[in-house]
Amino acid sequence: MGWSGGPQIFSIKLIVLALSLYIVSGQAAEKRNLPQKISTNNYSTITDEATYFHLLKEADSLTFKNEFEAEILLLLDDDLKERYLNLPTLQDKKEFIIFFWKVQNPNPLLEQNDRLLDHLQRRLYARKNFPADTPPYYDDRGKYYVKYGKPFFRYRDRGGLRKINSLVTPTFSHYSVLPNETWSYVNVRPNFVVNFAQKGSVYKEIKSLKDIIVGNRRRGRLIWYWSDLMKNRFWMSPLYNDAVTTIIDVENTILSTIARSPLLSSRNFIIRDNDIRFNTRRLEDELYSSLSFTDSETRRASTDIPVAVYTPVRAKSKLPIKENIAQFKNPDGLTRLEITLYSPMKKFLNRAVSIHQDSIFVEFSSLLRNKMYSTVDENRLKKKYAARDAIDWHLPETVGYLTLKAPPDSLDFFAQVKNERNGKVGFLQKSLKVKDFSGKNLMVSDLQFYTTIEEEQQKAILPWLEINGLTLAPYPFKKIHKSTPFYCYFEVYNLKSGGVTDEYEITYKVYNDKSSTSLFKKLTKWIGGEKERSISITQTQPVLEDMSQELIALDLSNLPNGHYRLEVIVADTKNPSIQASVWREFRLEN
């Protein structure tokens, strides 16, 4: 037996690629820092993204067909394969492959495409350990390795003559088999099992385990040989285990029959083909039916699987990360996204040194990508500061603040935090609807929470900015602390063009978010007669410009702990129908 207990594997969804979405080759490594030095090694030893794409672009027709096309076809589903094969030119096919890998990238904030990196590592291993003389230069075992990675279980059999291991003793106790292997990917599907047999210098996939049996394949003997092969592989899948259970039940039935019949009792009792002393045909039929069922169900299980899966190499999210995104109107007509990222401070501490000697090295990054898989905007922030300062200020999180700009659209948002000391990362991805502030109606931006910077040391720890003469930082806690100054910032757009004439009212409401309160707590409050507490403040302001920046300090110290919603309503004092509102939920604690 070979490998066992493989790593967790994640499926990558293959999407239908319309020809209109193809990009030019030069955009494959867009806005990412790829190695500048291109390896001149042969195609079997490609280990990095830059070398792969360089050799792909330079490949002539024959080299492309042998080194790239034969391999990429393994990774395409039927629809994508048909689209690819219908492409008219070599350049079109190269661009298809470049775009294919771009779609597969699970985290574009990493320096290299992690899915492609995993593929190159598998490719290198397959060519070395399962070599073949024809493209893609590895045998059928290598094809499965490239598509699905290391098998969860692997059984290797050198072949040759062996004795049947059975509770009963057939006269035909020895048989021969070809060198063979059985691979199990129970981490992909519970009954995903593949069998291979050596044919010449390579291993070929076979439909049934019985195909490795050499010599006499008479049914009466075949089922016992086949059963013996299954016993050695009972742990490969639930189906295999069930088949072996049936085999043992049949053998026990034979032993039980012997034990009940004085005529059959003998220490040297031997099973023969079509034994007339009891109904061997019925037992053979039962065994054959069970083994055939296992074969057919195993093949059926292999039809309902992803065309390929990948094992993360560096795209392993080992650091917790949370985000808050607030959207604002930008002067250039785009939308400005202010992104606050949080990750636990303890994940960045070096336990090998004193807290007074330790430093925090952290990089925050974020990226927006459109449906064409092109980067819309990207930003990074690196910070280094003394760990003792963060501890002195009781900061449980490292905090990053980034801004991105984008046109109104449905985009993919990526964020990442990286411990620069050990290279560990945490990342997230979500679909994001970028708001459109280009209209003429009264509008309000999202709400952004800030706290004040009171000491110069805090500027080294927290990102900061100046608003209305105050030095502020994104609120450094995921929950609102009653003891920490709390400011709410937002912007109002189209006051004049939206129909507000002289004055407008801003109403701030803070009230309990009942949707986030458990049923037990609701009942406890009701039985105890506790009233829901809230805050409501209204202020009137004159219209001076078409746009207004608003910053308010909120004192929530009198509210009990719990989930709340802050709602801001902006309305014309003379015509309340002209109004806009926005809200944000938060949790309040001491």
Side-chain angles (χ1 to χ4, degrees), residues 219 246 249-250 253 281-291:
R219 174 168 159 157
T246 300
D249 286 344
V250 168
T253 299
R281 175 62 66 183
R282 179 184 63 80
L283 296 173
E284 289 175 358
D285 288 345
E286 184 177 347
L287 271 181
Y288 193 84
S289 175
S290 174
L291 294 169

Side-chain angles (χ1 to χ4, degrees), residues 486-540:
F486 172 44
Y487 289 81
C488 176
Y489 174 81
F490 61 96
E491 297 175 357
V492 184
Y493 311 118
N494 306 327
L495 283 166
K496 292 182 177 180
S497 57
V500 180
T501 53
D502 300 319
E503 295 179 328
Y504 62 97
E505 289 182 344
I506 302 179
T507 301
Y508 303 89
K509 294 182 179 180
V510 180
Y511 53 91
N512 183 255
D513 182 12
K514 297 181 181 180
S515 63
S516 301
T517 304
S518 68
L519 179 60
F520 175 77
K521 289 186 177 180
K522 290 178 181 179
L523 290 174
T524 302
K525 289 181 178 181
W526 180 72
I527 294 173
E530 182 179 342
K531 296 181 179 180
E532 299 291 346
R533 304 186 66 178
S534 62
I535 295 175
S536 181
I537 304 170
T538 300
Q539 62 183 41
T540 302

Side-chain angles (χ1 to χ4, degrees), residues 408-445:
D409 199 358
S410 294
L411 303 175
D412 289 324
F413 170 76
F414 296 85
Q416 177 179 280
V417 59
K418 180 180 180 181
N419 186 331
E420 291 281 83
R421 178 186 289 112
N422 57 26
K424 290 183 178 180
V425 301
F427 61 92
L428 58 86
Q429 184 267 333
K430 62 188 290 186
S431 297
L432 181 67
K433 180 70 174 178
V434 178
K435 295 182 178 180
D436 186 355
F437 292 105
S438 63
K440 297 298 183 181
N441 294 330
L442 183 65
M443 296 182 184
V444 182
S445 72

Side-chain angles (χ1 to χ4, degrees), residues 531-557:
K531 296 181 179 180
E532 299 291 346
R533 304 186 66 178
S534 62
I535 295 175
S536 181
I537 304 170
T538 300
Q539 62 183 41
T540 302
Q541 298 182 182
V543 176
L544 300 177
E545 302 289 343
D546 202 38
M547 178 262 199
S548 175
Q549 296 177 318
E550 306 291 342
L551 180 68
I552 184 172
L554 295 175
D555 181 4
L556 307 179
S557 58

Side-chain angles (χ1 to χ4, degrees), residues 316-382:
K316 299 177 181 179
S317 191
K318 295 184 176 181
L319 298 177
I321 179 173
K322 297 290 184 181
E323 92 292 348
N324 178 71
I325 302 174
Q327 301 190 40
F328 300 86
K329 182 178 182 179
N330 211 59
D332 56 7
L334 299 176
T335 298
R336 183 178 81 257
L337 294 90
E338 297 186 0
I339 299 148
T340 309
L341 301 176
Y342 305 89
S343 190
M345 184 72 68
K346 62 182 180 181
K347 296 292 185 178
F348 296 83
L349 297 176
N350 184 359
R351 297 181 180 179
V353 300
S354 165
I355 192 68
H356 296 286
Q357 298 174 321
D358 195 10
S359 295
I360 304 297
F361 297 87
V362 58
E363 180 192 63
F364 297 96
S365 53
S366 59
L367 179 146
L368 289 172
R369 190 175 70 179
N370 61 24
K371 300 306 178 183
M372 301 278 288
Y373 295 88
S374 295
T375 298
V376 176
D377 198 9
E378 180 179 358
N379 199 356
R380 294 177 184 265
L381 169 69
K382 290 189 177 184

Side-chain angles (χ1 to χ4, degrees), residues 167-168 245 247-258:
L167 297 176
V168 296
T245 300
I247 293 167
I248 294 175
D249 286 344
V250 168
E251 292 178 356
N252 280 322
T253 299
I254 295 173
L255 292 177
S256 177
T257 303
I258 296 170

Side-chain angles (χ1 to χ4, degrees), residues 45-62:
T45 57
I46 301 173
T47 58
D48 63 87
E49 179 179 348
T51 302
Y52 178 88
F53 285 127
H54 171 75
L55 293 176
L56 171 65
K57 295 173 188 177
E58 296 296 321
D60 58 29
S61 179
L62 180 60

